Amino acid sequence: MSNDALTHPTDAVAMRHALTEAATTAGYAPSIHNTQPWRWRLAGDALDLYTDRRRVLAVTDPETRLATLSCGVALHHARMSLAAQGWQVTTTRLPDPTDPDHLATIRLDGRARADQQTALHLRTIPLRHTDRRPVTGAPVRPEDLRAITAAVEAEDTWLHTLSADQVLELASAADHAQRTEAAEAAWRDELGYWTGGNRPGGAGIPDAAIPGQAPQTTVPGRDFGHHGTLAVSAEHDRAAVFALLYGRTDEPRDWLRGGEALSAGWLTATELGVSVLPHSAPIEVVSTRQAMRAVLASTGYPYLVLRLGAIDPADAGPPHAPRLPADQLIEQSHQVRHRA
Ligand SMILES: Cc1cc2nc3c(=O)[nH]c(=O)nc-3n(C[C@H](O)[C@H](O)[C@H](O)COP(=O)(O)O)c2cc1C
């Protein structure tokens, strides 16, 4: 079907359905502190993605690096949904130079054959989740690590697996970052606002997803300032592999691509039975972010640390974090838009 063919009224209904479905699927995306800092606007044959400043962590993430990464994951989820529904799309990133919050426009170009890879990713999207328990099982298989790295690289971002010495540098950076942040009252308030409790509003991290005791780890995980109710084993996470997700610049366009790459890598990992736990504290603090850049020998800019570990297939893992209702995140616009 050509672009011009997308003019029949029934096409309008099909397009609205497909785009609504895509924005709804994007709601499963992981985000820093489960803030879900995105907003979708649906108009005709296009879906626009915006940063929602009301859910950006002003103290922890003043440059919106982590919010933009999170929105990038949502963008990739929406792309997967449309591809799996059999739509060909054009994605334009940062389409409006006057509006930095307008992160992307996805425009439907016509029908296409859905491929098996995207159909598999679509099934994985609601299953993927964050598991903060120590990884104590078998090591991650090298071929799985290569497949996850390839999925990241297909989205113009890179993944560097840390050597044993670099893991020790990371451990020290993570510890320093957490101490620096915890010393600031405004940071503690922000953390307290978004984490703990039952989270009936649908955003933030509930106690059920926060370890009930400090896990035995070489690299300290996020210190939530209190223990949750998630049961964790007393074993050390010796089987963990750490990797740095990084890109060629420290600019919003590449952060967005980094989020798309995070989605591609995390979905692939889930399909291979590998858990992913992001560690963003070392990226949040300037001095430790620079230390992570030095680990990359300044070949790129670090966006996120990922802990990877093989999952016991019999273990369903911790409960899923809640999500905001889709209608709070999707705005239907009746404005007619013309193709450029
Ligand atoms: C950019 C980004 C940074 C994150 N940083 C951390 C982190 O430092 N520590 C942590 O435990 N989880 C981290 N997470 C995981 C989120 O807390 C998690 O995705 C969110 O609570 C939603 O839960 P779910 O992944 O189980 O759906 C991060 C996620 C993203 C996308």
Side-chain angles (χ1 to χ4, degrees):
M1 189 190 285
S2 74
N3 292 349
D4 295 340
L6 291 174
T7 50
H8 194 274
T10 53
D11 294 332
V13 174
M15 290 190 294
R16 190 163 61 243
H17 174 80
L19 295 172
T20 305
E21 191 67 24
T24 305
T25 297
Y28 286 108
S31 55
I32 177 74
H33 291 0
N34 200 22
T35 46
Q36 305 158 64
W38 49 77
R39 189 163 51 84
W40 294 98
R41 190 151 182 272
L42 200 157
D45 62 356
L47 189 57
D48 290 292
L49 171 64
Y50 294 86
T51 308
D52 190 332
R53 295 266 165 183
R54 291 169 300 179
R55 290 192 301 280
V56 170
L57 302 174
V59 183
T60 308
D61 186 28
E63 295 166 301
T64 73
R65 181 183 289 97
L66 300 170
T68 308
L69 274 173
S70 305
C71 290
V73 185
L75 176 60
H76 185 263
H77 279 25
R79 283 174 44 209
M80 291 303 103
S81 166
L82 289 166
Q85 292 180 68
W87 286 94
Q88 195 175 332
V89 306
T90 300
T91 304
T92 311
R93 296 169 184 84
L94 294 168
D96 181 353
T98 65
D99 183 359
D101 289 345
H102 189 179
L103 294 178
T105 300
I106 307 177
R107 189 177 293 280
L108 299 178
D109 289 334
R111 303 295 299 179
R113 186 188 290 272
D115 70 271
Q116 287 188 343
Q117 177 64 63
T118 48
L120 176 60
H121 276 356
L122 186 64
R123 287 198 297 276
T124 306
I125 283 172
L127 305 177
R128 181 222 55 81
H129 66 296
T130 301
D131 188 344
R132 299 181 177 84
R133 299 173 303 170
V135 281
T136 56
V140 179
R141 297 182 311 169
E143 60 268 36
D144 291 348
L145 200 51
R146 279 197 295 277
I148 296 164
T149 305
V152 165
E153 287 180 357
E155 298 291 332
D156 287 334
T157 306
W158 299 296
L159 195 64
H160 167 74
T161 305
L162 300 189
S163 67
D165 284 351
Q166 290 173 333
V167 171
L168 295 181
E169 282 182 57
L170 167 64
S172 135
D175 180 56
H176 181 75
Q178 309 229 54
R179 283 173 197 274
T180 307
E181 291 185 315
E184 197 185 334
W187 183 88
R188 291 196 303 274
D189 288 349
E190 192 172 69
L191 181 75
Y193 180 82
W194 285 102
T195 64
N198 290 328
R199 318 306 306 180
I205 305 178
D207 273 337
I210 296 176
Q213 65 184 65
Q216 295 290 316
T217 59
T218 308
V219 178
R222 170 78 68 189
D223 178 359
F224 290 96
H226 73 283
H227 293 315
T229 56
L230 175 65
V232 298
S233 98
E235 281 182 70
H236 194 280
D237 74 341
R238 250 177 274 286
V241 170
F242 290 89
L244 261 174
L245 183 81
Y246 71 104
R248 73 172 64 78
T249 75
D250 210 12
E251 303 288 336
R253 183 183 302 271
D254 284 325
W255 300 338
L256 192 66
R257 291 298 280 144
E260 293 173 80
L262 175 62
S263 172
W266 202 336
L267 294 176
T268 303
T270 306
E271 287 150 14
L272 293 170
V274 173
S275 80
V276 176
L277 171 61
H279 284 275
S280 49
I283 306 297
E284 290 158 14
V285 172
V286 176
S287 63
T288 53
R289 189 164 68 244
Q290 282 166 351
M292 291 299 96
R293 179 152 153 75
V295 164
L296 298 169
S298 301
T299 52
Y301 291 84
Y303 300 157
L304 204 57
V305 175
L306 302 180
R307 185 201 72 179
L308 306 167
I311 309 170
D312 173 356
D315 183 347
H320 287 235
R323 288 297 189 272
L324 292 165
D327 59 6
Q328 263 188 43
L329 304 171
I330 307 172
E331 180 193 330
Q332 306 265 353
S333 166
H334 299 290
Q335 200 181 317
V336 178
R337 293 170 40 134
H338 299 286
R339 286 176 175 274

